[in-house]
Amino acid sequence: MTFLQIAGLSKSYNNETTVLKDISFNVKAGEFVSIIGPSGAGKSTLLRCINRMVSISDGEVVFDHAPITKLKKRALRQLRTDIGMVFQHYNLVPRLTVIENVLHGRLGYKSTLQGVLGRFTEEEKEHAFFLLRKLGIEEHAYKRCDQLSGGQQQRVGIARALIQNPKLILCDEPIASLDPNASKIIMDHLKSITTELEITCLINLHQVEVAQQYSDRIIGLNQGEVVFDGPNYKLTEEKINHIYGTQMRELITV
Amino acid sequence: MSEKGMQKRKWQLTIALLIIIAITYLSAAITNFNFMDGFAAFPEAIGWMFSNLFITQESLERLPTILDKLIETIFMSIAATTTAAIVSIFLGIMGSKTTSVNSLLSVFARFIASVSRNIPVVAWALILLLSFGQNSLTGYLALFVGTVGFLTRVFIESIDEASPSAVEALTATGATYFHIVNKAVIPQSLPQMISWILFMIETNIRSSTLVGILTGTGIGYTFDMYYKSMNYNAVALVTFSIVLAVIIIELMSNYIRKVIM
Ligand SMILES: Nc1ncnc2c1ncn2[C@@H]1O[C@H](COP(=O)(O)OP(=O)(O)O)[C@@H](O)[C@H]1O
Ligand SMILES: [Mg+2]
């Protein structure tokens, strides 16, 4: 069953260079897909076209029957509540507490007044604590986020995405700023939780090994074009070199 | 840094120093300022200060009047700063790239910031004096206008650096503009904004003395009056009480800063 459909997607920020060129692929519900490619390939841009954090220049993106390209402001807001996003730099409000940051994930469901007054239901708060427990950071709930380690902050970011009850999670290099230990914790959580809750997951990675270890399917991007799309066992050394260009590949593994 | 880089920096410093010396010498020559005469005047000036500017029993009797005016001045500075802060928060949100809603408003906010900031408070006082005359409203407005300019600029900077990433994250959750401003932008930048507001209150108490001399209000007017009537003991008392007030306010705001940061 196709859940996310991308057809002929193109994107250029200015009219001179095209960042994404005629990208087409479908994602099935519940799939865990990694997008790999050298830096500047357009991975971040691709993710941001899906929740329209950047405008789409050409082509179609259909998410759960909704034509994303055509949505007006209010419908777009509503659609975004179904899509969680996790960032390389966590993108939390550092001065606020963990629990406040997690509850931010519910704002999309609130009217302006409810949200501004910070009216959250008991159920929402319980849900937040449930997620923090699941991610192993419940004891930090009332700490300010700037007092947490990178790995812990990323778990707050994941909790904020999960409390949206999303159908899809977009992760933009979630482990690029973390050490190997913290990276493993984050990847394990992402994998197990999205599997358990049947959430579709699209994740930008720059470590090929991590992509191969965790994902069902890998999409290789180079200079805005899909140069590989298949199950992870088909990603041979030769294909990897094709995605990164041989020299690049050496730089990355060193 | 490499050996060569160090060498280069040393040279740059030396050249910069030479240029500064040249400019100093040149400006002294142009303005006919003689360093030797300047230094020679020091002992005499200090002698005058010691023999005239001391607080006497008689001048202490004027303390209630002086305190009255001082408090008036402090409150005017606080009022001017806080009202300016309210306007500046709005302009700051409009002017910052992360939170602006409309490029026209954004340009407008930045314009206000640069225009009112590049004109010193004293100049504002003189300009406003022409249209509003010599009264306390003029003093208030002069401080207000200058403060709006300064605070708008620093608020724009605070907002710009405080939370662009969190703004992106909240936009992606489907939060509205007002959610984002209230739940991410304000909480993150508020302590820094308050710190700037406190700084501006301190600054305004200092400048309100000068503005007061021009507009005939508050402690500045008292100072001017005693000065012109050559009651130098009272002048000393006024000066002393201003310095004391500024120090107290500074200590208080440093304490507040520590608590909120
Ligand atoms: N906001 C932007 N404005 C202009 N160009 C951009 C912007 N964001 C990204 N780009 C350009 O688009 C290209 C792809 O960037 P990005 O999607 O961030 O790649 P990746 O995430 O794979 O490193 C780069 O050449 C980058 O310079
Ligand atoms: Mg990127």
Side-chain angles (χ1 to χ4, degrees), chain B residues 93-109:
Chain B
I93 290 172
M94 289 302 118
S96 164
K97 279 190 283 303
T98 27
T99 50
S100 94
V101 281
N102 177 306
S103 56
L104 209 69
L105 272 175
S106 173
V107 169
F108 173 73

Side-chain angles (χ1 to χ4, degrees), chain A residues 13-14 19 37-46 172-173 204 221:
Chain A
Y13 287 101
N14 46 40
V19 176
S39 112
K43 304 182 294 294
S44 301
T45 305
L46 175 57
D172 192 8
E173 311 243 10
N204 283 351
L221 218 57

Side-chain angles (χ1 to χ4, degrees), chain A residues 99-110:
Chain A
I99 189 76
E100 284 172 302
N101 269 289
V102 174
L103 286 169
H104 282 168
R106 295 302 299 175
L107 287 173
Y109 292 97
K110 309 259 169 210

Side-chain angles (χ1 to χ4, degrees), chain A residues 136-147:
Chain A
I137 47 171
E138 193 190 14
E139 80 246 42
H140 302 304
Y142 294 107
K143 275 194 194 153
R144 266 168 57 161
C145 285
D146 51 13
Q147 291 167 356

Side-chain angles (χ1 to χ4, degrees), chain B residues 4-251:
Chain B
K4 214 168 172 190
M6 292 276 272
Q7 284 289 339
K8 205 174 152 198
R9 267 191 67 87
K10 264 190 200 161
W11 267 111
Q12 282 171 344
L13 275 175
T14 316
I15 291 170
L17 203 65
L18 285 175
I19 292 174
I20 289 170
I21 291 171
I23 290 175
T24 312
Y25 187 78
L26 202 71
S27 41
I30 291 172
T31 56
N32 284 328
F33 179 80
N34 187 315
F35 286 107
M36 283 305 131
D37 288 355
F39 282 123
F42 257 98
E44 202 182 331
I46 289 173
W48 184 89
M49 277 188 200
F50 273 106
S51 52
N52 287 287
L53 290 178
F54 55 85
I55 299 160
T56 58
Q57 191 67 34
E58 182 253 354
S59 63
L60 272 180
E61 275 165 28
R62 303 180 197 272
L63 194 59
T65 342
I66 292 173
L67 282 185
D68 214 35
K69 286 291 174 192
L70 186 65
I71 287 169
E72 184 193 312
T73 305
I74 291 174
F75 276 120
M76 191 181 79
S77 307
I78 293 176
T81 314
T82 45
T83 44
I86 293 167
V87 175
S88 297
I89 285 183
F90 177 76
L91 289 175
I93 290 172
M94 289 302 118
S96 164
K97 279 190 283 303
T98 27
T99 50
S100 94
V101 281
N102 177 306
S103 56
L104 209 69
L105 272 175
S106 173
V107 169
F108 173 73
R110 284 163 188 275
F111 176 75
I112 296 267
S114 74
V115 166
S116 54
R117 186 171 53 92
N118 288 324
I119 301 177
V121 173
V122 175
W124 276 118
L126 290 171
I127 294 167
L128 293 165
L129 207 54
L130 296 176
S131 32
F132 288 91
Q134 210 178 37
N135 60 49
S136 55
L137 182 68
T138 310
Y140 166 84
L141 282 179
L143 294 179
F144 176 85
V145 175
T147 309
V148 165
F150 181 84
L151 286 183
T152 301
R153 191 180 78 103
V154 296
F155 284 2
I156 288 176
E157 277 170 13
S158 302
I159 294 171
D160 272 346
E161 73 191 44
S163 40
S165 63
V167 169
E168 184 190 24
L170 291 208
T171 311
T173 68
T176 66
Y177 176 78
F178 287 102
H179 291 155
I180 295 168
V181 170
N182 270 282
K183 293 290 165 185
V185 175
I186 299 286
Q188 187 60 27
S189 43
L190 195 61
Q192 207 177 15
M193 289 186 182
I194 291 176
S195 179
W196 281 121
I197 293 172
L198 292 171
F199 169 80
M200 239 12 238
I201 288 177
E202 293 164 27
T203 311
N204 278 345
I205 288 174
R206 287 194 200 99
S207 22
S208 66
T209 310
L210 200 56
V211 170
I213 294 176
L214 296 171
T215 59
T217 48
I219 195 79
Y221 178 65
T222 317
F223 182 95
D224 198 34
M225 203 177 65
Y226 290 136
Y227 184 82
K228 281 183 178 147
S229 61
M230 295 194 285
N231 187 347
Y232 296 123
N233 300 327
V235 167
L237 183 61
V238 171
T239 312
F240 181 70
S241 55
I242 293 172
V243 171
L244 206 64
V246 169
I247 290 174
I248 290 171
I249 297 277
E250 232 177 81
L251 289 176

